[in-house]
Amino acid sequence: MLIKDIMVRDVATVMETDTLEHAAILLERGRFRHLPVAQLLPQAPTLEPALKHFQYPPPKPPVAVVGILSDRDMPGGRVGAAPLEELRGRQAHEVMRRPVITASPETPVEYAAQLMADNAIGCLPVVDDAAQGRLVGIITESDLFHALVRLVGAQEPSTRLRLMLRGGDPAHLASALMIVAQHEGRLAGVLAEPVDAQGRWPVTLRVRTIYPGPLLHDLEAAGIEVEQPAEGKQQ
C-alpha cells in the first residue's frame, strides 16, 4: 500500500500572510488538526483558457508547502484558547513550523509511519517532486490507523488466526496457506511480525470462514502452532 492509496487529496491550506483568525476558523470548521502553509507555484499556460468557465468546482492553483500550522501552534496551545479578535493582527508565518517533512505519493505506507514516529509529527504533506514540489495530498495519524485496519483485514467478517511458525521460514507459511486453501478459506488480511527471541515467527491470518474448527485441527495436526484462537473458537 502506497501513500497515494490513502492520502486526502482535497487539502485545506493557508498562505504565510493569512491571519491566524482565518487559520483558526479553518481548523475548527474542518475538524482537523493540521494546515499546510503554502505558496503559489507558477502555472503552466493552458491551451484552452475558455474551458475554465466549464469546470466546477474550479481547479485549485498549484501550491508548494513552506510550513505547517497545527492546532497546538495556535496561541494558547489549541484552537479557541484565544479570542478570534486577538488573532486578526497575526499571520500564519509567525507561528508555523519549518522546515517541513514531506513524502511522495509513491512512498510505502510503512515508511511514512516510521517517518512520522521518528520525528514525532502528526501529518505528512504529500508533494510531487516532478512538479516543482506541488502539494497533492496529506496523510495524518488517523489515515495510517485506517490503513492498518485495511491491511490486516479487520474490517471484514473473518476468523483471526495467530500462527507461531518456526524460524521465519516462508515454507512453513506456505504450508499453512495450503491448508487454508484446502478448506476453501479466503484471506482477508495477512500480518507478519519479526521473529521473536525464541525463534518463533508470529503470523496473523484473517480467514473468511464461519466455522474454523476443522481448519484449526488440520493446522495443528501438521505441526503448526496456533496461538489464537483455541480450537473451535472464532474471533
Side-chain angles (χ1 to χ4, degrees):
M1 184 181 292
L2 304 178
I3 282 183
K4 66 182 180 182
D5 300 320
I6 68 169
M7 69 183 186
V8 175
R9 298 176 183 271
D10 187 14
V11 187
T13 63
V14 292
M15 298 296 178
E16 292 181 85
T17 54
D18 283 338
T19 66
L20 292 184
E21 177 191 27
H22 176 60
I25 291 173
L26 285 178
L27 288 168
E28 182 175 15
R29 291 183 179 176
R31 296 184 179 181
F32 39 72
R33 296 176 48 208
H34 307 91
L35 277 174
V37 184
Q39 66 179 13
L40 291 174
L41 286 171
Q43 295 194 57
T46 58
L47 296 178
E48 299 289 344
L51 292 180
K52 290 184 178 180
H53 298 294
F54 298 97
Q55 298 183 46
Y56 184 83
K60 291 184 177 181
V63 296
V65 181
V66 295
I68 282 288
L69 177 63
S70 76
D71 54 353
R72 293 178 297 177
D73 299 320
M74 301 298 289
R78 62 180 178 84
V79 175
L84 291 178
E85 294 78 9
E86 296 182 12
L87 306 180
R88 290 174 185 165
R90 302 188 63 183
Q91 297 181 337
H93 70 85
E94 298 178 35
V95 299
M96 72 181 190
R97 301 187 185 192
R98 66 170 81 192
V100 186
I101 299 174
T102 63
S104 78
E106 303 299 324
T107 301
V109 167
E110 62 270 25
Y111 292 170
Q114 187 66 55
L115 188 61
M116 291 171 65
D118 289 346
N119 292 278
I121 55 178
C123 76
L124 279 175
V126 186
V127 301
D128 184 354
D129 291 331
Q132 300 178 287
R134 178 177 181 172
L135 177 68
V136 294
I138 192 170
I139 64 167
T140 65
E141 295 166 320
S142 177
D143 298 319
L144 292 176
F145 292 149
H146 286 108
L148 175 61
V149 171
R150 287 176 56 192
L151 284 171
V152 301
Q155 82 281 10
E156 300 185 33
S158 56
T159 294
R160 180 180 183 273
L161 306 179
R162 191 165 192 260
L163 313 179
M164 305 302 290
L165 306 177
R166 295 188 298 275
D169 187 346
H172 297 151
L173 176 57
S175 298
L177 293 177
M178 284 298 296
I179 295 173
V180 172
Q182 290 167 5
H183 285 265
E184 299 183 353
R186 295 293 182 267
L187 290 181
V190 179
L191 178 64
E193 303 173 38
V195 177
D196 65 17
Q198 288 75 43
R200 302 181 306 170
W201 183 26
V203 176
T204 299
L205 307 179
R206 280 277 180 180
V207 182
R208 298 187 185 98
T209 180
I210 298 175
Y211 178 58
L215 170 59
L216 294 173
H217 179 270
D218 286 356
L219 286 170
E220 293 175 349
I224 298 172
E225 179 184 353
V226 182
E227 184 183 73
Q228 296 174 338
E231 185 175 339
K233 294 184 179 179
Q234 184 174 352
Q235 294 186 354

